[in-house]
Amino acid sequence: MWQADVGNTIKWGEDTEIAEVKERQPVLLQQLLKIWEQSVRATHHFLSSREIEQIKEYVPGALNLVPRLVIAREESGAPVGFMAVSYTHLRAHET
């Protein structure tokens, strides 16, 4: 489990909360990378596995640099989805 410096937390349902992450620890980025890959493989059927693997190399760096990173996490602390928000784009992924 990871510990994060988060902003305001919003309860969503019984056991999920949403919060902006300020500190992006490597373990969190790896968890979000898994969510990203599961989401892309489930929805982007026009991409080959090779193309997904090529894009995947850039995802941790992008998550580390995006101005606002908002995650949804279970009560256990495990992330189940995220939104990466820049000044002109929104990217959302969930398991």
Side-chain angles (χ1 to χ4, degrees):
M1 181 187 304
W2 55 275
Q3 298 293 324
D5 175 19
V6 298
N8 293 334
T9 301
I10 300 169
K11 273 300 244 190
W12 184 36
E14 290 291 317
D15 59 359
T16 304
E17 60 185 27
I18 300 172
E20 183 176 354
V21 176
K22 305 292 184 187
E23 184 180 322
R24 290 125 194 235
Q25 298 177 357
V27 67
L28 173 62
L29 294 177
Q30 286 304 310
Q31 291 170 321
L32 297 182
L33 181 62
K34 285 183 182 180
I35 292 170
W36 175 86
E37 184 174 4
Q38 290 171 345
S39 175
V40 169
R41 290 190 185 278
T43 60
H44 290 61
H45 302 288
F46 54 90
L47 292 174
S48 69
S49 285
R50 184 172 177 264
E51 290 170 316
I52 292 171
E53 290 300 319
Q54 289 174 331
I55 297 166
K56 182 178 172 181
E57 294 177 25
Y58 298 96
V59 173
L63 290 174
N64 211 22
L65 294 174
V66 71
R68 299 187 81 173
L69 180 61
V70 179
I71 62 165
R73 61 183 175 193
E74 297 176 322
E75 193 172 353
S76 68
V80 294
F82 69 90
M83 292 186 302
V85 183
S86 71
Y87 299 106
T88 59
H89 294 85
L90 166 68
R91 301 282 186 250
H93 297 274
E94 62 182 289
T95 56

